[in-house]
């Protein structure tokens, strides 16, 4: 619930702090005293749109801060989830703060952490439901009316089950449609896939093969030159005219004779002998290499043909042989998938049919439950409307299912209806405030006090199902007489058993029934208007209620005020 509202440099308010309690709180005061400004400030703290015009003249900035006690039930889980989403601490309270500067820029904070204004709005919608004469109230929206109906009937669990089933059914149906639409194209592509797979697999590609072929082709093309070079190298080492090997042998003999005279060169002799052996071995290798070189034109042709095959495949399927191999593997996988398409389609069609029957049954069950819930809500509203002086008001709930060839099949007739995640129903609250007038959608007949009282009646009926901790009513008594005013007050007090209720009122009958009474007044100080809020005790309440009755607070009005308060006390 709302425990405190602090306002600084907002409209005509310089600085104000108002504390609130549980139960029913009324705010009274003369017209123009600033009661509605308090409500406007609360809305701004909850993320309502606001510009520089709301900042008090001459002030560099304005600020509004609303402190809410953390609810123990109802919206607790949703609030905790929202706090977790934005990494906010939420111990015992939620502090919503909005700061606006004279230039028109604003910022929002929740529990001291800067957040987008949309987050303020998200928290505000979970904490407060505000009802004014000209506000676009949430309950006027048709999507909201479906939520109201389901909560009143306790259908949240069934609705969630239906939503999950519909999501799964819709996903499977979309997949089936994709497969069906792609079937013709897939079959046309099958011939191409088979050709590609056959062509690549027939080539029996092997990673590294291309490099090996290039190396072998290089040897065959240069066979004559290789023979010449290897022969020349061999001749240089072993030639009859005296090759390198013979020279090394002569040198080795000479060094051996040196060793006989000077043993200090023994190591040189050993090294030279090793060189002789190494060069001799090299010479033999060169001979073998020369003798092995062979020019094979048939093998060269085969290699050229194979390299041409690889080049052709690379032009079509990839820049390298491994890429061509990978393309072939993907093509084979796709080919097998297309070849099994009929079987896959048949399986998916069977699964979609089973999902539709299951989902249709659940959606039908939800629709029937909504129908019964609507009947009960309409009956409950009849009594509530009479009690609020709306005897001529008629209320109906229209449940509509829209036929659609692409919709969900419902038992028992097998007709198809359009659906959303909330089911196959659309709900419209219809109302006629005056005899003889046709029933119209609630959002089309919103008109001042009648709509406010109608919504109050609806709220009183929905109180058990409504999870919003704080309800704010801005002048729901406009156009209401004394007798109906007592009924309105009783309804507000009834609501306050399950919610914190804050109401701006001009009727003494409503003020007398409140648990807490705040009076709003304004004065001129130092040439500027200043707004103040005061909590009234019983003697002060008698004076305020008497003034509301007569305008001047006559002795007769004081006695009537006392009687009203005594009657309200007895009725508790």
């Amino acid at each position: 619930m709302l425990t405190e509202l602090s306002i600084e440099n907002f409209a005509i308010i310089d600085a104000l702090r108002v504390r609130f309690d549980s139960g029913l709180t009324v705010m009274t005061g003369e017209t123009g005293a600033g009661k509605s400004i308090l409500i406007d400030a609360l809305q701004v703290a909850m993320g309502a749109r606001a510009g520089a015009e709301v900042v008090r003249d001459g002030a560099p900035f304005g600020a509004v801060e609303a402190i809410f006690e953390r609810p123990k039930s109802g919206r607790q889980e949703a609030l905790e989830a929202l706090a977790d989403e934005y990494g906010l601490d939420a111990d015992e309270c939620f502090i919503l703060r909005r700061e606006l500067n004279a230039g028109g820029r604003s910022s929002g904070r929740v529990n001291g952490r800067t957040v987008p204004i949309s987050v303020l709005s998200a928290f505000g919608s979970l904490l407060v439901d505000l009802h004014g004469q000209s506000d676009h109230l949430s309950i006027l929206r048709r999507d909201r009316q479906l939520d109201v109906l389901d909560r009143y009937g306790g259908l949240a669990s069934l609705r969630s089950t239906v939503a999950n089933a519909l999501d799964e059914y819709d996903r499977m149906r979309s997949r089936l449609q994709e497969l069906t639409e792609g079937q013709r194209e897939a079959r046309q592509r099958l011939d191409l896939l088979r050709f590609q797979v056959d062509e690549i697999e027939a080539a029996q590609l092997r990673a590294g093969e291309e490099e090996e072929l290039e190396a072998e082709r290089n040897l065959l093309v240069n066979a004559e030159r290789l023979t010449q070079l290897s022969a020349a190298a061999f001749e240089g080492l072993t030639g009859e005219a005296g090759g390198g090997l013979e020279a090394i042998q002569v040198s080795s003999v000479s060094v051996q004779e040196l060793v006989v005279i000077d043993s200090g060169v023994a190591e040189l002799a050993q090294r030279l002998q090793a060189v002789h052996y190494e060069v001799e071995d090299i010479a033999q290798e060169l001979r073998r290499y020369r003798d092995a070189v062979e020019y094979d034109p048939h093998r060269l042709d085969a290699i050229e043909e194979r390299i041409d095959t690889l080049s052709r495949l690379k032009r079509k399927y990839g820049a390298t042989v491994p890429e061509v191999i990978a393309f072939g593997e993907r093509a084979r996988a796709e080919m097998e998938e297309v070849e099994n398409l009929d079987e896959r389609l048949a399986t998916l069609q069977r699964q979609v049919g089973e999902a539709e029957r299951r989902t249709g049954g659940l959606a039908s069950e939800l629709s029937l439950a909504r129908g019964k819930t609507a009947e009960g809500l309409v009956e409950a509203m009849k009594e509530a409307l009479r009690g609020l002086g709306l005897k001529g008001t008629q209320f109906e709930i229209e449940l509509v299912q829209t036929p659609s060839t692409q919709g969900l099949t419902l038992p028992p007739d097998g007709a198809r209806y359009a659906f959303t995640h909330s089911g196959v129903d659309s709900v419209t609250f219809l109302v006629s405030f005056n005899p003889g007038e046709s029933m119209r959608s609630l959002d089309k007949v919103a008109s001042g006090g009648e709509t406010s009282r109608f919504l109050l009646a609806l709220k009183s009926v929905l109180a058990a199902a409504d999870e919003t901790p704080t309800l704010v009513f801005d002048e729901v008594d406009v156009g209401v007489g004394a007798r109906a005013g007592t009924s309105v007050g009783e309804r507000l007090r009834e609501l306050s058993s399950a919610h914190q209720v804050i109401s701006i009122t001009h009727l003494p009958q409503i003020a007398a029934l409140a648990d807490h009474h705040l009076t709003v007044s304004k004065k001129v100080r130092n040439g500027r208007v200043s707004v103040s809020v005061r909590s009234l005790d019983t003697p002060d309440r008698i004076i305020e209620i008497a003034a509301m009755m007569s305008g001047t607070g006559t002795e007769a009005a004081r006695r009537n005020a006392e009687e009203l308060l005594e009657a309200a006390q007895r009725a508790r």
Side-chain angles (χ1 to χ4, degrees):
M1 72 172 188
L2 176 65
T3 60
E4 187 175 296
L5 180 65
S6 298
I7 305 171
E8 183 178 2
N9 295 325
F10 186 89
I12 62 174
I13 298 175
D14 54 354
L16 186 64
R17 176 175 294 178
V18 185
R19 289 183 171 84
F20 295 90
D21 292 298
S22 59
L24 172 60
T25 298
V26 296
M27 289 193 292
T28 63
E30 295 183 359
T31 301
K35 301 183 297 296
S36 292
I37 295 177
L38 295 177
I39 304 303
D40 293 341
L42 177 59
Q43 288 182 289
V44 168
M46 293 160 49
R49 299 183 65 177
E53 70 280 356
V54 302
V55 179
R56 184 175 168 86
D57 285 344
F61 71 94
V64 183
E65 183 175 279
I67 302 177
F68 294 89
E69 182 182 279
R70 182 177 179 178
K72 300 298 189 293
S73 60
R75 298 292 174 87
Q76 180 182 8
E77 292 185 3
L79 285 165
E80 289 178 351
L82 188 59
D84 289 342
E85 181 179 352
Y86 290 95
L88 302 172
D89 294 329
D91 296 328
E92 297 300 326
C93 63
F94 291 98
I95 303 175
L96 276 56
R97 182 176 177 83
R98 181 84 170 275
E99 298 175 354
L100 309 99
N101 62 35
R105 300 190 64 178
S106 71
S107 61
R109 294 176 181 273
V110 176
N111 289 5
R113 183 164 183 172
T114 301
V115 297
I117 303 303
S118 60
V119 177
L120 279 182
S121 181
F123 274 98
S125 65
L126 293 172
L127 292 165
V128 178
D129 198 357
L130 193 146
H131 300 267
Q133 294 188 64
S134 58
D135 296 306
H136 291 288
L137 307 176
S138 60
I139 208 167
L140 296 181
R141 301 198 313 264
R142 296 190 183 186
D143 60 333
R144 170 69 168 163
Q145 292 168 10
L146 182 60
D147 294 340
V148 167
L149 185 66
D150 286 347
R151 285 210 312 274
Y152 180 73
L155 304 178
S157 177
L158 179 56
R159 175 169 169 169
S160 177
T161 301
V162 170
N164 292 335
L166 283 169
D167 288 343
E168 177 66 13
Y169 166 67
D170 197 36
R171 184 189 64 78
M172 294 174 61
R173 193 174 67 160
S174 297
R175 179 57 180 155
L176 177 60
Q177 183 177 356
E178 290 174 3
L179 284 179
T180 302
E181 292 176 350
Q183 187 177 27
R184 179 178 300 177
E185 180 182 350
R187 297 204 178 285
Q188 292 173 345
R189 181 168 166 73
L190 183 58
D191 291 338
L192 174 62
L193 290 170
R194 284 173 176 163
F195 173 80
Q196 291 172 335
V197 170
D198 290 345
E199 184 178 33
I200 293 173
E201 292 184 352
Q204 297 182 338
L205 301 179
R206 177 172 55 84
E209 178 187 12
E210 186 175 24
E211 291 77 8
E212 295 173 4
L213 291 172
E214 292 285 356
E216 186 178 357
R217 181 177 68 172
N218 185 54
L219 293 176
L220 289 172
V221 169
N222 295 284
E224 183 178 359
R225 180 61 174 161
L226 292 174
T227 300
Q228 291 173 350
L229 291 173
S230 59
F234 178 74
E235 184 67 22
L237 294 176
T238 64
E240 295 178 357
L245 187 61
E246 183 179 348
I248 294 172
Q249 178 64 32
V250 171
S251 296
S252 178
V253 171
S254 297
V255 173
Q256 289 292 338
E257 292 179 1
L258 281 175
V259 172
V260 175
I261 301 171
D262 184 0
S263 61
V265 296
E267 182 182 354
L268 290 177
Q270 292 174 359
R271 290 168 60 189
L272 187 59
Q273 186 65 32
V275 169
H276 177 267
Y277 292 148
E278 180 68 17
V279 172
E280 187 177 33
D281 187 60
I282 291 173
Q284 294 304 317
E285 289 288 340
L286 285 170
R287 180 180 62 79
R288 285 193 293 272
Y289 182 86
R290 181 201 61 190
D291 295 343
V293 172
E294 180 182 1
Y295 176 67
D296 186 347
H298 296 295
R299 175 58 182 164
L300 181 60
D301 289 343
I303 290 175
E304 294 287 5
E305 183 179 349
R306 181 61 174 174
I307 289 177
D308 181 67
T309 297
L310 298 181
S311 298
R312 177 169 50 81
L313 292 175
K314 288 194 298 179
R315 286 194 298 271
K316 296 171 69 174
Y317 304 121
T320 64
V321 169
E323 289 184 12
V324 175
I325 293 173
F327 183 96
E329 291 172 349
R330 292 194 300 272
R332 168 163 285 283
E334 185 178 352
M335 180 185 72
E336 292 174 351
E337 183 176 348
V338 174
E339 288 175 340
N340 295 328
L341 185 59
D342 287 341
E343 182 179 348
R344 291 174 57 214
L345 276 172
T347 299
L348 189 54
Q349 286 172 342
R350 184 176 63 256
Q351 292 173 343
V352 169
E354 293 172 353
E356 183 172 25
R357 285 189 293 274
R358 180 176 64 256
T359 305
L362 289 170
S364 179
E365 180 183 350
L366 179 59
S367 293
L368 291 172
R370 283 171 172 165
K372 293 180 180 178
T373 299
E375 293 175 1
L377 181 55
V378 168
E379 286 301 314
M381 280 292 291
K382 288 180 180 179
E383 180 179 353
L385 290 170
R386 283 195 299 268
L388 290 174
L390 296 174
K391 296 181 179 179
T393 298
Q394 298 296 316
F395 173 61
E396 295 178 3
I397 297 177
E398 182 180 63
L399 276 170
V400 175
Q401 298 173 347
T402 304
S404 171
T405 56
Q406 300 300 315
L408 178 69
T409 302
L410 296 189
D413 57 359
R416 289 185 174 274
Y417 298 97
F419 64 90
T420 66
H421 71 281
S422 59
V424 296
D425 307 301
S426 62
V427 172
T428 304
F429 287 180
L430 302 174
V431 65
S432 170
F433 286 124
N434 298 296
E437 290 186 357
S438 60
M439 304 293 290
R440 296 182 182 179
S441 173
L442 182 57
D443 60 342
K444 302 298 184 183
V445 294
S447 59
E450 286 180 330
T451 300
S452 294
R453 281 185 287 155
F454 175 87
L455 292 174
L456 177 60
L458 188 56
K459 276 293 180 181
S460 66
V461 172
L462 298 175
D466 198 320
E467 299 176 337
T468 308
T470 299
L471 306 178
V472 178
F473 294 91
D474 187 1
E475 299 186 354
V476 294
D477 53 6
V478 172
V480 178
R483 181 176 300 177
T486 300
S487 298
V488 170
E490 290 172 348
R491 288 291 179 182
L492 289 173
R493 191 165 64 177
E494 181 182 343
L495 277 176
S496 70
S497 64
H499 309 269
Q500 178 192 40
V501 178
I502 300 170
S503 176
I504 294 177
T505 182
H506 292 287
L507 283 180
Q509 289 81 7
I510 295 178
L513 289 165
D515 300 302
H516 314 285
H517 192 155
L518 304 176
T519 182
V520 183
S521 60
K522 65 179 180 180
K523 296 179 181 179
V524 177
R525 296 177 182 174
N526 300 323
R528 296 294 302 272
V529 173
S530 177
V531 176
S532 64
V533 177
R534 187 164 58 95
S535 178
L536 303 181
D537 55 18
T538 300
D540 289 333
R541 289 186 72 184
I542 292 172
I543 295 172
E544 177 69 11
I545 292 174
M548 294 172 69
M549 287 180 167
S550 65
T552 59
T554 64
E555 185 61 32
R558 288 174 60 90
R559 288 195 297 271
N560 289 336
E562 290 176 354
E563 291 177 0
L564 277 178
L565 288 170
E566 290 173 359
Q569 187 65 33
R570 289 194 300 270
R572 292 183 185 282

